[in-house]
Amino acid sequence: MTSDPQSRARFGRNTSRIAIVGAAAAVISLVLPAIPALVVAFAAFVLGLVARRQLRVDPATGPSWVSIIALVLGGFIFVTQGAIVWFATR
């Protein structure tokens, strides 16, 4: 796929690779143990934020639900795994 704006307009939306990687990292963090899941979920949250800001700058980068999935799932997993680690070390 090209990054040419005219070809994007011709072929439709181009889903952001950052959003896809963030959503994939959030899903992968579901199967990881607590400490690695914290790191991967935080990375997914940050990638979701970057993809969301990229979407605001260039709306042709794709559907917003992909970046929202990365944000919500990454944030939820980060908070829950953080609570598990915090209560386990108390």
Side-chain angles (χ1 to χ4, degrees), residues 19-37:
I20 294 171
V21 170
V27 170
I28 289 171
S29 69
L30 285 170
V31 296
L32 293 175
I35 301 296

Side-chain angles (χ1 to χ4, degrees), residues 1-81:
M1 303 203 102
T2 63
S3 62
D4 182 28
Q6 292 177 347
S7 67
R8 267 197 236 156
R10 215 174 331 140
F11 294 117
R13 292 183 166 194
N14 184 16
T15 304
S16 171
R17 289 185 180 99
I18 295 172
I20 294 171
V21 170
V27 170
I28 289 171
S29 69
L30 285 170
V31 296
L32 293 175
I35 301 296
L38 273 171
V39 175
V40 174
F42 182 73
F45 183 78
V46 169
L47 287 172
L49 272 177
V50 170
R52 199 70 188 142
R53 290 185 182 190
Q54 182 182 13
L55 180 68
R56 286 188 180 167
V57 171
D58 183 14
T61 56
S64 64
W65 62 268
V66 180
S67 60
I68 290 174
I69 286 176
L71 277 169
V72 170
L73 197 57
F76 175 75
I77 294 169
F78 181 77
V79 168
T80 56
Q81 292 297 328

